[in-house]
Amino acid sequence: MQVLLTQEQIRDRISAMAGEIARDYPPDEQIHLVCVLKGGFMFLSDLVRALPTRVTLDFIALSSYGKGTKSSGEVRMIKDVDHALEGRHVVIVEDIVDTGLTLHYLQDILRARSPKTLRTACLLSKPSRRQVDVPVEYVGFTIEDHFIVGYGLDYDERYRELPYLAILRDGE
Ligand code: 5GP
């Protein structure tokens, strides 16, 4: 495996992203972060610690690639959020946007619940793979078409614990 982004590079970028997010909301208003499990957990935990703003948290789980590295294009909700989103400043916290299908589905569902604002923070984006145009207000790193593991991202449930991002193999 080849290291794509080191712990230090990730930490510096997340700290800058936290600044961008904080600047976009009135300081006295709470941000409600909705983390997409499981891949987003490490990004969320570093992002909340870098944010100067008060936040509340919730979690949602969607089906992803399953065992392979190819997207089926099918999205399924495995676990819904626990709290209502109405009137809240919601920020989706997602590990990676690839084809955009997962995020497109998720944004539609959450938008229907009348949040005050809805934005998305993705640690990684692979624009060359996009099939649907989804708005992502905060992007950590724009990358080429590689299959990435580490820092929360898995291949068949492995490698999530790595503190850095690595290329498992080149995209096909
Ligand atoms: P999309 O629906 O945008 O094609 O894919 C989104 C989901 O697919 C991500 O949340 C992630 O779970 C998974 N995914 C996409 N690209 C990668 C990758 O390079 N590595 C890993 N581990 N998962 C990926």
mmCIF file of all heavy atoms in Angstrom, residues 36-40 62-65 68-69 71 73 75 94-104 124 126 129-131 134 143 145-150 152-156 158 160 166, ligand 1:
data_model
loop_
_atom_site.group_PDB
_atom_site.id
_atom_site.type_symbol
_atom_site.label_atom_id
_atom_site.label_comp_id
_atom_site.label_asym_id
_atom_site.label_seq_id
_atom_site.Cartn_x
_atom_site.Cartn_y
_atom_site.Cartn_z
ATOM 1 N N VAL A 36 -21.850 10.021 8.485
ATOM 2 C CA VAL A 36 -22.226 8.829 7.734
ATOM 3 C C VAL A 36 -21.291 7.676 8.141
ATOM 4 O O VAL A 36 -20.078 7.733 7.920
ATOM 5 C CB VAL A 36 -22.161 9.075 6.210
ATOM 6 C CG1 VAL A 36 -22.685 7.851 5.456
ATOM 7 C CG2 VAL A 36 -22.955 10.318 5.830
ATOM 8 N N LEU A 37 -21.900 6.679 8.770
ATOM 9 C CA LEU A 37 -21.142 5.505 9.243
ATOM 10 C C LEU A 37 -20.907 4.516 8.107
ATOM 11 O O LEU A 37 -21.706 4.472 7.192
ATOM 12 C CB LEU A 37 -21.922 4.814 10.366
ATOM 13 C CG LEU A 37 -22.080 5.645 11.641
ATOM 14 C CD1 LEU A 37 -23.026 4.958 12.601
ATOM 15 C CD2 LEU A 37 -20.735 5.897 12.294
ATOM 16 N N LYS A 38 -19.872 3.693 8.195
ATOM 17 C CA LYS A 38 -18.902 3.782 9.271
ATOM 18 C C LYS A 38 -17.723 4.681 8.880
ATOM 19 O O LYS A 38 -16.986 5.158 9.733
ATOM 20 C CB LYS A 38 -18.356 2.374 9.591
ATOM 21 C CG LYS A 38 -19.381 1.384 10.022
ATOM 22 C CD LYS A 38 -18.715 0.002 10.141
ATOM 23 C CE LYS A 38 -19.758 -1.060 10.274
ATOM 24 N NZ LYS A 38 -19.169 -2.414 10.095
ATOM 25 N N GLY A 39 -17.547 4.868 7.586
ATOM 26 C CA GLY A 39 -16.327 5.514 7.079
ATOM 27 C C GLY A 39 -16.047 6.895 7.631
ATOM 28 O O GLY A 39 -14.898 7.320 7.682
ATOM 29 N N GLY A 40 -17.096 7.617 8.069
ATOM 30 C CA GLY A 40 -16.894 9.000 8.493
ATOM 31 C C GLY A 40 -16.458 9.165 9.938
ATOM 32 O O GLY A 40 -16.208 10.292 10.379
ATOM 33 N N LEU A 62 -25.549 3.994 5.819
ATOM 34 C CA LEU A 62 -26.054 3.648 4.487
ATOM 35 C C LEU A 62 -25.252 2.481 3.949
ATOM 36 O O LEU A 62 -24.094 2.300 4.316
ATOM 37 C CB LEU A 62 -25.909 4.847 3.545
ATOM 38 C CG LEU A 62 -26.524 6.161 4.012
ATOM 39 C CD1 LEU A 62 -26.070 7.300 3.110
ATOM 40 C CD2 LEU A 62 -28.044 6.085 4.006
ATOM 41 N N SER A 63 -25.859 1.733 3.071
ATOM 42 C CA SER A 63 -25.104 0.636 2.461
ATOM 43 C C SER A 63 -24.108 1.230 1.481
ATOM 44 O O SER A 63 -24.358 2.242 0.852
ATOM 45 C CB SER A 63 -26.041 -0.321 1.739
ATOM 46 O OG SER A 63 -26.619 0.315 0.629
ATOM 47 N N SER A 64 -22.980 0.560 1.371
ATOM 48 C CA SER A 64 -21.927 1.083 0.507
ATOM 49 C C SER A 64 -21.501 0.007 -0.479
ATOM 50 O O SER A 64 -22.328 -0.736 -1.005
ATOM 51 C CB SER A 64 -20.796 1.565 1.417
ATOM 52 O OG SER A 64 -19.662 1.833 0.689
ATOM 53 N N TYR A 65 -20.215 -0.156 -0.640
ATOM 54 C CA TYR A 65 -19.710 -1.087 -1.637
ATOM 55 C C TYR A 65 -19.861 -2.563 -1.283
ATOM 56 O O TYR A 65 -19.613 -3.403 -2.129
ATOM 57 C CB TYR A 65 -18.229 -0.840 -1.870
ATOM 58 C CG TYR A 65 -17.947 0.350 -2.724
ATOM 59 C CD1 TYR A 65 -16.916 1.209 -2.389
ATOM 60 C CD2 TYR A 65 -18.684 0.602 -3.869
ATOM 61 C CE1 TYR A 65 -16.628 2.302 -3.167
ATOM 62 C CE2 TYR A 65 -18.401 1.692 -4.652
ATOM 63 C CZ TYR A 65 -17.374 2.539 -4.306
ATOM 64 O OH TYR A 65 -17.086 3.603 -5.078
ATOM 65 N N GLY A 68 -16.713 -5.546 -2.254
ATOM 66 C CA GLY A 68 -15.799 -5.225 -3.349
ATOM 67 C C GLY A 68 -15.370 -3.771 -3.322
ATOM 68 O O GLY A 68 -15.518 -3.073 -2.336
ATOM 69 N N THR A 69 -14.833 -3.319 -4.434
ATOM 70 C CA THR A 69 -14.424 -1.919 -4.541
ATOM 71 C C THR A 69 -15.256 -1.196 -5.600
ATOM 72 O O THR A 69 -14.982 -0.066 -5.944
ATOM 73 C CB THR A 69 -12.932 -1.802 -4.927
ATOM 74 O OG1 THR A 69 -12.730 -2.495 -6.158
ATOM 75 C CG2 THR A 69 -12.040 -2.387 -3.851
ATOM 76 N N SER A 71 -18.999 0.301 -6.916
ATOM 77 C CA SER A 71 -20.294 0.715 -6.415
ATOM 78 C C SER A 71 -21.395 0.044 -7.224
ATOM 79 O O SER A 71 -21.321 -0.034 -8.438
ATOM 80 C CB SER A 71 -20.430 2.239 -6.551
ATOM 81 O OG SER A 71 -21.710 2.626 -6.159
ATOM 82 N N GLY A 73 -24.350 1.217 -7.137
ATOM 83 C CA GLY A 73 -25.270 2.307 -7.473
ATOM 84 C C GLY A 73 -26.535 2.233 -6.638
ATOM 85 O O GLY A 73 -27.353 3.137 -6.667
ATOM 86 N N VAL A 75 -28.463 2.348 -3.133
ATOM 87 C CA VAL A 75 -28.241 2.890 -1.797
ATOM 88 C C VAL A 75 -29.377 2.455 -0.887
ATOM 89 O O VAL A 75 -30.539 2.482 -1.272
ATOM 90 C CB VAL A 75 -28.164 4.434 -1.832
ATOM 91 C CG1 VAL A 75 -27.787 4.985 -0.471
ATOM 92 C CG2 VAL A 75 -27.163 4.897 -2.883
ATOM 93 N N GLU A 94 -19.090 13.130 5.682
ATOM 94 C CA GLU A 94 -18.946 11.908 4.878
ATOM 95 C C GLU A 94 -17.465 11.681 4.580
ATOM 96 O O GLU A 94 -16.692 12.632 4.458
ATOM 97 C CB GLU A 94 -19.775 12.111 3.597
ATOM 98 C CG GLU A 94 -19.600 11.118 2.482
ATOM 99 C CD GLU A 94 -20.219 9.754 2.746
ATOM 100 O OE1 GLU A 94 -19.812 9.133 3.736
ATOM 101 O OE2 GLU A 94 -21.063 9.311 1.939
ATOM 102 N N ASP A 95 -17.076 10.417 4.453
ATOM 103 C CA ASP A 95 -15.665 10.123 4.200
ATOM 104 C C ASP A 95 -15.237 10.514 2.784
ATOM 105 O O ASP A 95 -14.239 11.188 2.580
ATOM 106 C CB ASP A 95 -15.352 8.640 4.469
ATOM 107 C CG ASP A 95 -16.301 7.675 3.747
ATOM 108 O OD1 ASP A 95 -17.182 8.126 2.987
ATOM 109 O OD2 ASP A 95 -16.162 6.448 3.945
ATOM 110 N N ILE A 96 -16.025 10.061 1.779
ATOM 111 C CA ILE A 96 -15.565 10.231 0.399
ATOM 112 C C ILE A 96 -16.763 10.338 -0.544
ATOM 113 O O ILE A 96 -17.762 9.652 -0.346
ATOM 114 C CB ILE A 96 -14.629 9.051 0.010
ATOM 115 C CG1 ILE A 96 -14.028 9.231 -1.382
ATOM 116 C CG2 ILE A 96 -15.306 7.714 0.121
ATOM 117 C CD1 ILE A 96 -12.831 8.311 -1.644
ATOM 118 N N VAL A 97 -16.676 11.213 -1.515
ATOM 119 C CA VAL A 97 -17.698 11.267 -2.564
ATOM 120 C C VAL A 97 -17.061 10.788 -3.859
ATOM 121 O O VAL A 97 -16.049 11.311 -4.316
ATOM 122 C CB VAL A 97 -18.391 12.655 -2.670
ATOM 123 C CG1 VAL A 97 -17.392 13.784 -2.787
ATOM 124 C CG2 VAL A 97 -19.377 12.688 -3.829
ATOM 125 N N ASP A 98 -17.677 9.732 -4.396
ATOM 126 C CA ASP A 98 -17.113 9.026 -5.546
ATOM 127 C C ASP A 98 -18.069 9.256 -6.732
ATOM 128 O O ASP A 98 -17.985 10.280 -7.410
ATOM 129 C CB ASP A 98 -16.993 7.558 -5.128
ATOM 130 C CG ASP A 98 -16.313 6.677 -6.138
ATOM 131 O OD1 ASP A 98 -15.527 7.197 -6.936
ATOM 132 O OD2 ASP A 98 -16.556 5.454 -6.145
ATOM 133 N N THR A 99 -19.016 8.347 -6.969
ATOM 134 C CA THR A 99 -19.995 8.590 -8.034
ATOM 135 C C THR A 99 -20.972 9.711 -7.632
ATOM 136 O O THR A 99 -21.586 10.343 -8.490
ATOM 137 C CB THR A 99 -20.840 7.328 -8.319
ATOM 138 O OG1 THR A 99 -21.572 6.981 -7.140
ATOM 139 C CG2 THR A 99 -19.964 6.167 -8.742
ATOM 140 N N GLY A 100 -21.144 9.904 -6.340
ATOM 141 C CA GLY A 100 -22.083 10.917 -5.839
ATOM 142 C C GLY A 100 -23.462 10.340 -5.550
ATOM 143 O O GLY A 100 -24.322 11.034 -4.991
ATOM 144 N N LEU A 101 -23.682 9.078 -5.898
ATOM 145 C CA LEU A 101 -25.020 8.484 -5.749
ATOM 146 C C LEU A 101 -25.459 8.404 -4.287
ATOM 147 O O LEU A 101 -26.611 8.719 -3.959
ATOM 148 C CB LEU A 101 -25.049 7.080 -6.384
ATOM 149 C CG LEU A 101 -24.884 7.047 -7.906
ATOM 150 C CD1 LEU A 101 -24.610 5.634 -8.398
ATOM 151 C CD2 LEU A 101 -26.125 7.610 -8.598
ATOM 152 N N THR A 102 -24.557 8.014 -3.413
ATOM 153 C CA THR A 102 -24.888 7.894 -1.987
ATOM 154 C C THR A 102 -25.275 9.259 -1.421
ATOM 155 O O THR A 102 -26.296 9.407 -0.745
ATOM 156 C CB THR A 102 -23.678 7.336 -1.198
ATOM 157 O OG1 THR A 102 -23.242 6.150 -1.838
ATOM 158 C CG2 THR A 102 -24.032 7.057 0.245
ATOM 159 N N LEU A 103 -24.450 10.237 -1.703
ATOM 160 C CA LEU A 103 -24.681 11.575 -1.167
ATOM 161 C C LEU A 103 -25.949 12.203 -1.742
ATOM 162 O O LEU A 103 -26.706 12.875 -1.026
ATOM 163 C CB LEU A 103 -23.458 12.431 -1.497
ATOM 164 C CG LEU A 103 -23.217 13.639 -0.616
ATOM 165 C CD1 LEU A 103 -23.244 13.279 0.848
ATOM 166 C CD2 LEU A 103 -21.865 14.248 -0.990
ATOM 167 N N HIS A 104 -26.189 11.965 -3.000
ATOM 168 C CA HIS A 104 -27.387 12.481 -3.655
ATOM 169 C C HIS A 104 -28.640 11.946 -2.941
ATOM 170 O O HIS A 104 -29.563 12.692 -2.612
ATOM 171 C CB HIS A 104 -27.382 12.071 -5.127
ATOM 172 C CG HIS A 104 -28.539 12.568 -5.912
ATOM 173 N ND1 HIS A 104 -28.687 13.903 -6.237
ATOM 174 C CD2 HIS A 104 -29.622 11.940 -6.414
ATOM 175 C CE1 HIS A 104 -29.810 14.045 -6.911
ATOM 176 N NE2 HIS A 104 -30.403 12.870 -7.024
ATOM 177 N N LEU A 124 -12.703 13.404 1.276
ATOM 178 C CA LEU A 124 -12.104 13.137 -0.035
ATOM 179 C C LEU A 124 -13.142 13.254 -1.143
ATOM 180 O O LEU A 124 -14.310 12.927 -0.940
ATOM 181 C CB LEU A 124 -11.527 11.713 -0.073
ATOM 182 C CG LEU A 124 -10.439 11.367 0.940
ATOM 183 C CD1 LEU A 124 -10.160 9.871 0.914
ATOM 184 C CD2 LEU A 124 -9.160 12.142 0.642
ATOM 185 N N LYS A 126 -13.534 12.328 -5.450
ATOM 186 C CA LYS A 126 -12.958 11.804 -6.702
ATOM 187 C C LYS A 126 -13.812 12.317 -7.857
ATOM 188 O O LYS A 126 -14.708 11.608 -8.326
ATOM 189 C CB LYS A 126 -13.008 10.269 -6.701
ATOM 190 C CG LYS A 126 -12.099 9.604 -5.703
ATOM 191 C CD LYS A 126 -11.968 8.118 -6.003
ATOM 192 C CE LYS A 126 -12.638 7.260 -4.999
ATOM 193 N NZ LYS A 126 -12.459 5.817 -5.184
ATOM 194 N N ARG A 129 -14.976 10.407 -11.179
ATOM 195 C CA ARG A 129 -15.899 9.281 -11.099
ATOM 196 C C ARG A 129 -17.361 9.704 -10.963
ATOM 197 O O ARG A 129 -18.257 8.881 -10.902
ATOM 198 C CB ARG A 129 -15.539 8.428 -9.879
ATOM 199 C CG ARG A 129 -14.138 7.868 -9.943
ATOM 200 C CD ARG A 129 -14.152 6.397 -10.140
ATOM 201 N NE ARG A 129 -15.148 5.784 -9.273
ATOM 202 C CZ ARG A 129 -15.759 4.646 -9.564
ATOM 203 N NH1 ARG A 129 -15.489 4.025 -10.692
ATOM 204 N NH2 ARG A 129 -16.642 4.151 -8.737
ATOM 205 N N ARG A 130 -17.595 11.001 -10.918
ATOM 206 C CA ARG A 130 -18.941 11.494 -10.592
ATOM 207 C C ARG A 130 -19.980 11.098 -11.635
ATOM 208 O O ARG A 130 -19.760 11.234 -12.832
ATOM 209 C CB ARG A 130 -18.893 13.025 -10.466
ATOM 210 C CG ARG A 130 -19.950 13.567 -9.537
ATOM 211 C CD ARG A 130 -19.692 13.285 -8.049
ATOM 212 N NE ARG A 130 -18.954 14.352 -7.422
ATOM 213 C CZ ARG A 130 -17.743 14.184 -6.884
ATOM 214 N NH1 ARG A 130 -17.129 13.010 -6.905
ATOM 215 N NH2 ARG A 130 -17.143 15.191 -6.309
ATOM 216 N N GLN A 131 -21.126 10.585 -11.181
ATOM 217 C CA GLN A 131 -22.263 10.262 -12.068
ATOM 218 C C GLN A 131 -23.409 11.227 -11.872
ATOM 219 O O GLN A 131 -24.226 11.416 -12.757
ATOM 220 C CB GLN A 131 -22.753 8.834 -11.811
ATOM 221 C CG GLN A 131 -21.804 7.780 -12.338
ATOM 222 C CD GLN A 131 -22.305 6.369 -12.041
ATOM 223 O OE1 GLN A 131 -23.489 6.133 -11.883
ATOM 224 N NE2 GLN A 131 -21.392 5.439 -11.964
ATOM 225 N N VAL A 134 -23.536 16.548 -7.213
ATOM 226 C CA VAL A 134 -24.003 16.835 -5.843
ATOM 227 C C VAL A 134 -23.195 17.994 -5.257
ATOM 228 O O VAL A 134 -21.985 18.053 -5.451
ATOM 229 C CB VAL A 134 -23.846 15.616 -4.885
ATOM 230 C CG1 VAL A 134 -24.969 14.627 -5.043
ATOM 231 C CG2 VAL A 134 -22.500 14.958 -5.032
ATOM 232 N N ILE A 143 -8.915 14.025 -5.134
ATOM 233 C CA ILE A 143 -7.927 12.996 -5.489
ATOM 234 C C ILE A 143 -8.262 12.334 -6.831
ATOM 235 O O ILE A 143 -9.374 12.436 -7.326
ATOM 236 C CB ILE A 143 -7.824 11.917 -4.383
ATOM 237 C CG1 ILE A 143 -9.174 11.203 -4.184
ATOM 238 C CG2 ILE A 143 -7.336 12.516 -3.074
ATOM 239 C CD1 ILE A 143 -9.077 9.935 -3.368
ATOM 240 N N ASP A 145 -8.553 8.804 -9.310
ATOM 241 C CA ASP A 145 -9.341 7.587 -9.145
ATOM 242 C C ASP A 145 -8.499 6.435 -8.589
ATOM 243 O O ASP A 145 -7.995 5.603 -9.328
ATOM 244 C CB ASP A 145 -9.955 7.193 -10.499
ATOM 245 C CG ASP A 145 -10.824 5.959 -10.376
ATOM 246 O OD1 ASP A 145 -11.154 5.572 -9.243
ATOM 247 O OD2 ASP A 145 -11.175 5.395 -11.427
ATOM 248 N N HIS A 146 -8.353 6.437 -7.264
ATOM 249 C CA HIS A 146 -7.692 5.337 -6.557
ATOM 250 C C HIS A 146 -8.675 4.763 -5.566
ATOM 251 O O HIS A 146 -9.579 5.464 -5.118
ATOM 252 C CB HIS A 146 -6.491 5.838 -5.745
ATOM 253 C CG HIS A 146 -5.471 6.565 -6.533
ATOM 254 N ND1 HIS A 146 -4.763 5.976 -7.550
ATOM 255 C CD2 HIS A 146 -5.020 7.837 -6.450
ATOM 256 C CE1 HIS A 146 -3.915 6.863 -8.045
ATOM 257 N NE2 HIS A 146 -4.062 7.995 -7.403
ATOM 258 N N PHE A 147 -8.483 3.512 -5.168
ATOM 259 C CA PHE A 147 -9.289 2.980 -4.072
ATOM 260 C C PHE A 147 -8.521 3.212 -2.774
ATOM 261 O O PHE A 147 -7.392 2.748 -2.605
ATOM 262 C CB PHE A 147 -9.625 1.495 -4.247
ATOM 263 C CG PHE A 147 -10.671 1.070 -3.265
ATOM 264 C CD1 PHE A 147 -12.012 1.338 -3.512
ATOM 265 C CD2 PHE A 147 -10.316 0.461 -2.061
ATOM 266 C CE1 PHE A 147 -12.988 0.991 -2.577
ATOM 267 C CE2 PHE A 147 -11.288 0.111 -1.133
ATOM 268 C CZ PHE A 147 -12.619 0.384 -1.386
ATOM 269 N N ILE A 148 -9.158 3.954 -1.882
ATOM 270 C CA ILE A 148 -8.491 4.454 -0.677
ATOM 271 C C ILE A 148 -8.930 3.667 0.551
ATOM 272 O O ILE A 148 -10.112 3.357 0.706
ATOM 273 C CB ILE A 148 -8.861 5.947 -0.461
ATOM 274 C CG1 ILE A 148 -8.584 6.768 -1.734
ATOM 275 C CG2 ILE A 148 -8.130 6.520 0.750
ATOM 276 C CD1 ILE A 148 -7.164 6.755 -2.198
ATOM 277 N N VAL A 149 -7.977 3.398 1.425
ATOM 278 C CA VAL A 149 -8.301 2.804 2.729
ATOM 279 C C VAL A 149 -7.577 3.579 3.824
ATOM 280 O O VAL A 149 -6.677 4.369 3.557
ATOM 281 C CB VAL A 149 -7.886 1.307 2.809
ATOM 282 C CG1 VAL A 149 -8.706 0.455 1.865
ATOM 283 C CG2 VAL A 149 -6.392 1.129 2.562
ATOM 284 N N GLY A 150 -8.014 3.308 5.056
ATOM 285 C CA GLY A 150 -7.390 3.963 6.211
ATOM 286 C C GLY A 150 -8.198 5.154 6.658
ATOM 287 O O GLY A 150 -9.109 5.610 5.967
ATOM 288 N N GLY A 152 -10.574 5.469 8.718
ATOM 289 C CA GLY A 152 -12.022 5.207 8.720
ATOM 290 C C GLY A 152 -12.507 4.434 7.510
ATOM 291 O O GLY A 152 -13.539 3.764 7.571
ATOM 292 N N LEU A 153 -11.779 4.524 6.403
ATOM 293 C CA LEU A 153 -12.220 3.847 5.176
ATOM 294 C C LEU A 153 -11.716 2.408 5.137
ATOM 295 O O LEU A 153 -10.568 2.142 5.491
ATOM 296 C CB LEU A 153 -11.725 4.585 3.937
ATOM 297 C CG LEU A 153 -12.429 5.904 3.663
ATOM 298 C CD1 LEU A 153 -11.604 7.057 4.178
ATOM 299 C CD2 LEU A 153 -12.670 6.080 2.183
ATOM 300 N N ASP A 154 -12.572 1.520 4.658
ATOM 301 C CA ASP A 154 -12.235 0.096 4.702
ATOM 302 C C ASP A 154 -12.143 -0.545 3.328
ATOM 303 O O ASP A 154 -12.609 0.005 2.326
ATOM 304 C CB ASP A 154 -13.320 -0.661 5.483
ATOM 305 C CG ASP A 154 -14.596 -0.841 4.652
ATOM 306 O OD1 ASP A 154 -15.066 0.168 4.086
ATOM 307 O OD2 ASP A 154 -15.093 -1.973 4.541
ATOM 308 N N TYR A 155 -11.583 -1.725 3.326
ATOM 309 C CA TYR A 155 -11.802 -2.673 2.244
ATOM 310 C C TYR A 155 -12.239 -3.948 2.943
ATOM 311 O O TYR A 155 -11.446 -4.543 3.698
ATOM 312 C CB TYR A 155 -10.519 -2.904 1.425
ATOM 313 C CG TYR A 155 -10.708 -3.993 0.396
ATOM 314 C CD1 TYR A 155 -11.547 -3.781 -0.706
ATOM 315 C CD2 TYR A 155 -10.096 -5.229 0.540
ATOM 316 C CE1 TYR A 155 -11.755 -4.794 -1.637
ATOM 317 C CE2 TYR A 155 -10.289 -6.235 -0.389
ATOM 318 C CZ TYR A 155 -11.132 -6.007 -1.473
ATOM 319 O OH TYR A 155 -11.339 -7.004 -2.392
ATOM 320 N N ASP A 156 -13.508 -4.328 2.749
ATOM 321 C CA ASP A 156 -14.039 -5.509 3.422
ATOM 322 C C ASP A 156 -13.815 -5.446 4.940
ATOM 323 O O ASP A 156 -13.361 -6.407 5.550
ATOM 324 C CB ASP A 156 -13.380 -6.763 2.824
ATOM 325 C CG ASP A 156 -14.160 -8.031 3.147
ATOM 326 O OD1 ASP A 156 -15.288 -7.917 3.657
ATOM 327 O OD2 ASP A 156 -13.619 -9.117 2.917
ATOM 328 N N ARG A 158 -11.587 -4.015 6.623
ATOM 329 C CA ARG A 158 -10.199 -3.909 7.104
ATOM 330 C C ARG A 158 -9.651 -2.508 6.869
ATOM 331 O O ARG A 158 -10.154 -1.774 6.043
ATOM 332 C CB ARG A 158 -9.329 -4.935 6.378
ATOM 333 C CG ARG A 158 -9.696 -6.365 6.743
ATOM 334 C CD ARG A 158 -9.142 -7.326 5.737
ATOM 335 N NE ARG A 158 -7.673 -7.313 5.722
ATOM 336 C CZ ARG A 158 -6.945 -7.737 4.693
ATOM 337 N NH1 ARG A 158 -7.516 -8.162 3.591
ATOM 338 N NH2 ARG A 158 -5.628 -7.695 4.746
ATOM 339 N N ARG A 160 -9.617 0.221 8.611
ATOM 340 C CA ARG A 160 -10.243 1.451 9.112
ATOM 341 C C ARG A 160 -9.380 2.141 10.167
ATOM 342 O O ARG A 160 -9.441 3.350 10.338
ATOM 343 C CB ARG A 160 -11.601 1.143 9.751
ATOM 344 C CG ARG A 160 -12.683 0.728 8.774
ATOM 345 C CD ARG A 160 -14.045 0.791 9.472
ATOM 346 N NE ARG A 160 -15.061 0.030 8.764
ATOM 347 C CZ ARG A 160 -15.770 0.487 7.734
ATOM 348 N NH1 ARG A 160 -15.570 1.700 7.288
ATOM 349 N NH2 ARG A 160 -16.682 -0.269 7.146
ATOM 350 N N ALA A 166 -4.337 5.585 2.578
ATOM 351 C CA ALA A 166 -3.454 4.840 1.692
ATOM 352 C C ALA A 166 -4.201 4.384 0.445
ATOM 353 O O ALA A 166 -5.424 4.231 0.456
ATOM 354 C CB ALA A 166 -2.890 3.627 2.430
HETATM 355 P P1 5GP B 1 -20.557 6.965 -4.119
HETATM 356 O O1 5GP B 1 -22.005 6.692 -3.871
HETATM 357 O O2 5GP B 1 -20.210 8.442 -4.120
HETATM 358 O O3 5GP B 1 -20.055 6.276 -5.345
HETATM 359 O O4 5GP B 1 -19.749 6.267 -2.974
HETATM 360 C C1 5GP B 1 -19.782 6.699 -1.696
HETATM 361 C C2 5GP B 1 -19.343 5.618 -0.740
HETATM 362 O O5 5GP B 1 -18.602 4.577 -1.369
HETATM 363 C C3 5GP B 1 -18.435 6.219 0.280
HETATM 364 O O6 5GP B 1 -19.157 6.718 1.373
HETATM 365 C C4 5GP B 1 -17.552 5.042 0.651
HETATM 366 O O7 5GP B 1 -18.174 4.290 1.656
HETATM 367 C C5 5GP B 1 -17.477 4.231 -0.611
HETATM 368 N N1 5GP B 1 -16.256 4.537 -1.372
HETATM 369 C C6 5GP B 1 -16.128 5.268 -2.498
HETATM 370 N N2 5GP B 1 -14.847 5.357 -2.887
HETATM 371 C C7 5GP B 1 -14.149 4.658 -1.963
HETATM 372 C C8 5GP B 1 -12.739 4.407 -1.780
HETATM 373 O O8 5GP B 1 -11.857 4.816 -2.547
HETATM 374 N N3 5GP B 1 -12.396 3.665 -0.693
HETATM 375 C C9 5GP B 1 -13.316 3.178 0.194
HETATM 376 N N4 5GP B 1 -12.850 2.482 1.225
HETATM 377 N N5 5GP B 1 -14.641 3.417 0.063
HETATM 378 C C10 5GP B 1 -15.035 4.151 -1.003
#
